[in-house]
Amino acid sequence: MTVPFVSLKPLECELDTDLREAFARVYGRSWYIEGVEGEAFEKAFADYCGVDYCIGCGNGLDALMLSLKALGIGAGDEVIVPSNTYIASALAISYTGATPIFVEPDIRTYNLDPTCIEPKITAKTKAIMVVHLYGQSADMDPIVAIAKKHGLYIVEDCAQAHGATYKGRHIGSFGDAAGFSFYPGKNLGALGDAGAAVTNDKAVAAKIRALGNYGSDYKYHHIFKGHNSRLDELQASFLAAKLPHLDRMNMERRRIAARYLNEIHNSAIVLPYVLPECEPVWHIFAIRCDQRDRLADYLSEAGIGTNQHYPIPMHLQGAYAEFHMNKGSLPIAEEISATELSLPLYYGISNEQITYVIDVINRF
């Protein structure tokens, strides 16, 4: 049996008519940027997240970067961010001129460890970037308390956690702003690059929108040195077609994850830990194994696809070599990077495939 790491085909086949109708609607209108499709999706997604404003962007990286800039973060500032995530989180900070300050995650949840934040706060610290990694919310109450205590902004990186909740509340609604990616493989994915920023602050929303539209608040009037980062009408229409199905798709991911959690019984495998107050959406099902590479080869030989998220933590990437952070400087992030392996989990995977993955892992 073959089990790919991910396949978008089952969902695309199920929504084929809706997606084709969305394309035809936009194509027939001949209006591709800043139109009714974008407005409709922004309103729907803001309502879904439980926030007042949503601003479509070109991608998730831009959504984070524009959010930071809209909060006034720039050169000379520092932003705290966990090291064991995709580099886009740090790049968003760097592109504002600010400095990312890498900190440790919680070894159980892989999310930002609240106890590691305060020791890294300096007079230059302006914000905490909270990454809801792998589809599980970070532990927000203590993070929010720390931010209030020190007068810091919170920017949520929600790229992997569309629909995840913390104490019954959707992620993206806790910070001063939040960024979402709609890269095709995300739980809510476009058919190309796309993203969005969300916030409850009207002024911040207006600034994000202007910054993403060449710094313009109205045509040919430029109040900022802006960027070109807008959600186009086609991608907005595709996302709007998929959004009503997101909760149902996430429930299926939870069902698959429950099978893995309940049926994988191998002492060599460390299964994901979920905080009691969190409801993950399982963008990635991340296990850990001290023999990660051997396990990956073993699964590959059995026809099972896997991935590694992420094999080099950000503080050891060449892009941030100027920080001179040597191996061992953030041992928990490094341990996760060296042992994490992602198992197949996607909408449309069959029960037979799930059973096969479980049986093969249990025999490792």
Side-chain angles (χ1 to χ4, degrees):
M1 181 179 291
T2 299
V3 186
F5 174 67
V6 66
S7 174
L8 303 180
K9 278 296 180 185
L11 177 61
E12 290 173 348
C13 290
E14 185 176 309
L15 300 183
D16 181 78
T17 300
D18 292 344
L19 294 173
R20 291 181 185 276
E21 287 178 354
F23 173 82
R25 191 169 63 246
V26 175
Y27 188 62
R29 196 179 288 123
S30 297
W31 190 288
Y32 301 108
I33 300 289
E34 294 186 311
V36 295
E37 299 286 346
E39 291 176 4
F41 173 72
E42 287 178 347
K43 183 181 185 309
F45 194 65
D47 290 344
Y48 179 84
C49 294
V51 297
D52 292 333
Y53 305 99
C54 170
I55 308 93
C57 304
N59 53 69
L61 168 56
D62 285 356
L64 291 172
M65 180 265 293
L66 295 172
S67 295
L68 290 164
K69 283 194 170 186
L71 294 169
I73 292 166
D77 296 333
E78 294 177 351
V79 178
I80 289 171
V81 62
S83 185
N84 65 312
T85 183
Y86 188 56
I87 198 168
S89 306
L91 291 177
I93 299 166
S94 297
Y95 290 166
T96 70
T99 301
I101 302 299
F102 300 121
V103 299
E104 291 275 46
D106 184 322
I107 190 65
R108 304 170 305 157
T109 66
Y110 314 138
N111 275 322
L112 178 61
D113 185 344
T115 67
C116 294
I117 296 174
E118 285 192 289
K120 294 294 184 108
I121 294 175
T122 71
K124 295 180 180 180
T125 308
K126 293 296 185 294
I128 303 167
M129 181 175 286
V130 181
V131 183
H132 302 293
L133 198 63
Y134 302 155
Q136 177 175 189
S137 168
D139 192 3
M140 291 308 300
D141 280 355
I143 296 173
V144 169
I146 291 168
K148 287 182 177 179
K149 176 182 175 182
H150 296 275
L152 305 177
Y153 292 118
I154 291 177
V155 175
E156 297 176 72
D157 182 341
C158 307
Q160 298 184 4
H162 315 68
T165 62
Y166 177 81
K167 295 188 175 180
R169 182 172 155 191
H170 275 128
I171 56 94
S173 65
F174 292 89
D176 297 278
F180 286 84
S181 167
F182 301 125
Y183 183 78
K186 304 299 186 184
N187 290 35
L188 179 63
L191 303 189
D193 273 324
V198 301
T199 181
N200 283 312
D201 189 311
K202 183 177 182 180
V204 170
K207 191 169 182 181
I208 292 172
R209 190 175 299 281
L211 284 167
N213 188 31
Y214 298 96
S216 173
D217 54 348
Y218 60 89
K219 196 166 186 177
Y220 302 135
H221 186 259
H222 303 271
I223 52 178
F224 309 112
K225 295 180 179 70
H227 305 263
N228 176 17
S229 184
R230 299 168 297 194
L231 177 63
D232 69 66
E233 288 288 277
L234 272 174
Q235 300 305 336
S237 73
F238 296 144
L239 290 166
K242 287 185 172 185
L243 181 58
H245 304 276
L246 178 58
D247 285 342
R248 176 173 61 84
M249 294 185 293
N250 283 341
M251 285 299 295
E252 176 64 5
R253 286 178 173 270
R254 291 177 181 129
R255 185 190 69 82
I256 298 163
R259 286 204 60 192
Y260 282 155
L261 290 169
N262 293 327
E263 298 177 40
I264 293 176
H265 303 291
N266 186 322
S267 60
I269 306 299
V270 178
L271 294 169
Y273 172 83
V274 178
L275 291 173
E277 57 267 38
C278 293
E279 188 68 62
V281 292
W282 301 105
H283 174 60
I284 289 168
F285 192 90
I287 63 173
R288 288 194 296 114
C289 179
D290 289 338
Q291 305 173 69
R292 189 264 307 280
D293 294 343
R294 180 169 160 250
L295 174 59
D297 290 342
Y298 164 79
L299 292 173
S300 178
E301 289 170 3
I304 298 170
T306 62
N307 208 334
Q308 298 174 14
H309 297 90
Y310 299 95
I312 304 174
M314 287 191 293
H315 69 282
L316 297 181
Q317 294 281 0
Y320 289 103
E322 74 269 21
F323 288 5
H324 303 292
M325 296 183 72
N326 298 320
K327 191 171 183 179
S329 56
L330 293 175
I332 296 174
E334 293 167 28
E335 180 179 346
I336 293 171
S337 292
T339 59
E340 188 276 342
L341 189 69
S342 304
L343 300 183
L345 196 162
Y346 55 89
Y347 183 83
I349 188 172
S350 70
N351 280 319
E352 292 76 15
Q353 288 174 311
I354 300 166
T355 298
Y356 180 65
V357 173
I358 293 167
D359 289 344
V360 172
I361 289 177
N362 283 339
R363 293 196 300 268
F364 177 69

